[in-house]
Amino acid sequence: MTGRVLPFGPSNPIIQAPMAGGGATPALAAAVSRAGGLGFLAAGYRTAQDVRREIAAVRERTDRPFGVNVFVPDFEAGLGSEAGGAVCGDAAAVGRYRDELAPEAERYGVTLPEAPAWDDDEWDAKIGLLVDERVPVAGFTFGCPPPEVTARLHEAGSVIMVMVNTAWEAVAAAEADADAVIVQSSGAGGHQAAFLPPPPSWPATWEAPDDLPELVALVREATDVPLVAAGGIMDGADVAAVLAAGAVAAQLGTAFLRTPESGTHPVHKAALADPRFTRTAFTRAFSGRTARGLANRFMAEHEASAPACYPQVHHLTKGLRRAAAEHGDPEAMALWCGRGYRRCRDLPAAALVEALMEELAAARA
């Protein structure tokens, strides 16, 4: 632990999650930061040049700290090694899934890519960008940055945060010199961040509980690095619960989906309040990696056969998802959200931060 000053804590504990795929925008990140929280941009699925423009757009709107989140590539998967229960370099598995999705492509009038390939999401360019821009907070999902990256970012003055799902991943993040760890529960929307199997020295009976405050408390026993709680947090009472369990701040994504500053597609926003969508579920049908969203037709029909090949499956289905949105059809969109989606509020981001802080004060009282 470097001892760097964190731009969040018990007195300013609201962090807006970096929702890749369009949810996180410069307008949203800046509004949250101006309101006293910590706004985040998502670098995932975007080019380094696009992220550079978004960083500039945030800085035009506010001089408050903000963060940029980057996906850590699975370089071993890129070489064709086994990961996530499947061979992620297995072109045959992706090809079979492509054949299965041919009727979907015909339905929405799109052409599926012939052989979607693994890529590193412009990792080197994005790390160089974060260093050059001296971003206040650099967040990482799907793994820990290697030591040379951590050193460069710390030298540039950035605070480093790593998302984890388990206590042993939190320990690994602390050992990798992360300044804070985001503890994500299974109730979180979007992709689960898990990146390490349990080490042999870890008790075989250890399981990550569904309850977020309980998970935070267990991780708190394993490491003294500052913890941020994420997953199903929708109001100030939820924030109070995770702070009481040992977190220094709470990260909320789903809660911000219906704000006007969010880039969430209007069809997605409407689905969050649509009574026909009654539950969330985990799926890898859209990206090849486990993620939580509103249960819809596409998930029901393709989850069982989707290979655990990320990001190849993401590249395979992104045209389908885009076309479904253009057709106004939520049944083939990745409607990422957490379990608490019914408690989404249609409020401006700053008003939501203010409401959360008022609710937190009432819960503490």
Side-chain angles (χ1 to χ4, degrees):
M1 176 56 190
T2 62
R4 286 175 173 78
V5 176
L6 305 178
F8 52 84
S11 62
N12 54 338
I14 306 302
I15 300 175
Q16 164 247 315
M19 297 168 283
T25 65
L28 177 59
V32 171
S33 290
R34 284 199 310 267
L38 180 70
F40 250 99
L41 295 174
Y45 309 137
R46 306 190 70 77
T47 67
Q49 282 300 101
D50 284 342
V51 178
R52 186 183 297 277
R53 284 190 286 268
E54 292 198 344
I55 290 172
V58 171
R59 285 177 164 152
E60 288 174 359
R61 291 169 167 86
T62 182
D63 59 0
R64 305 271 307 175
F66 64 96
V68 179
N69 186 72
V70 179
F71 289 163
V72 179
D74 184 348
F75 290 103
E76 290 188 0
L79 296 174
S81 66
E82 188 166 313
V87 179
C88 290
D90 186 352
V94 178
R96 288 190 295 271
Y97 193 50
R98 183 187 186 279
D99 292 342
E100 178 180 321
L101 296 182
E104 297 279 4
E106 184 175 356
R107 178 200 296 254
Y108 295 106
V110 300
T111 301
L112 298 175
E114 285 293 335
W118 180 92
D119 68 83
D120 67 1
D121 202 31
E122 295 191 23
W123 168 257
D124 289 337
K126 288 175 181 176
I127 295 303
L129 171 63
L130 299 189
V131 172
D132 291 345
E133 294 288 341
R134 304 180 71 88
V135 297
V137 179
F140 292 92
T141 302
F142 305 152
C144 296
E148 63 273 15
V149 169
T150 299
R152 290 175 64 197
L153 287 166
H154 278 157
E155 187 175 348
S158 297
V159 165
I160 295 175
M161 301 172 69
V162 174
M163 180 171 279
V164 306
N165 286 140
T166 63
W168 57 82
E169 289 175 344
V171 171
E175 291 174 347
D177 209 15
D179 300 295
V181 169
I182 305 166
V183 181
Q184 181 197 45
S185 76
S186 61
H191 287 100
Q192 290 283 289
F195 60 92
L196 284 179
S201 60
W202 207 266
T205 56
W206 197 95
E207 291 185 12
D210 285 341
D211 181 72
L212 179 57
E214 184 181 353
L215 177 60
V216 169
L218 286 175
V219 175
R220 175 77 293 148
E221 294 176 1
T223 179
D224 60 1
V225 69
L227 304 181
V228 174
I233 301 173
M234 299 298 294
D235 58 29
D238 294 337
V239 176
V242 297
L243 295 184
V248 299
Q251 179 170 285
L252 299 81
T254 301
F256 285 98
L257 285 177
R258 296 189 68 197
T259 61
E261 297 92 344
S262 163
T264 306
H265 195 281
V267 175
H268 188 164
K269 287 187 178 182
L272 294 170
D274 190 332
R276 67 175 149 155
F277 295 105
T278 60
R279 66 185 181 90
T280 64
F282 279 133
T283 186
R284 65 185 184 207
F286 292 108
S287 71
R289 188 180 179 103
T290 300
R292 182 181 291 281
L294 293 179
N296 60 7
R297 178 192 61 80
F298 193 96
M299 288 166 60
E301 294 180 2
H302 302 297
E303 168 60 18
S305 50
C309 296
Y310 176 88
Q312 294 95 318
V313 172
H314 160 74
H315 294 310
L316 180 65
T317 69
K318 64 183 177 183
L320 281 174
R321 290 177 274 133
R322 185 183 305 114
E326 292 170 353
H327 283 75
D329 182 7
E331 294 294 346
M333 295 172 62
L335 304 171
W336 300 145
C337 63
R339 285 177 180 157
Y341 71 97
R342 286 296 190 212
R343 292 191 283 153
C344 277
R345 289 178 268 192
D346 191 0
L347 288 174
L352 179 55
V353 173
E354 181 180 356
L356 290 166
M357 292 302 295
E358 290 175 352
E359 294 162 358
L360 172 59
R364 283 171 162 169

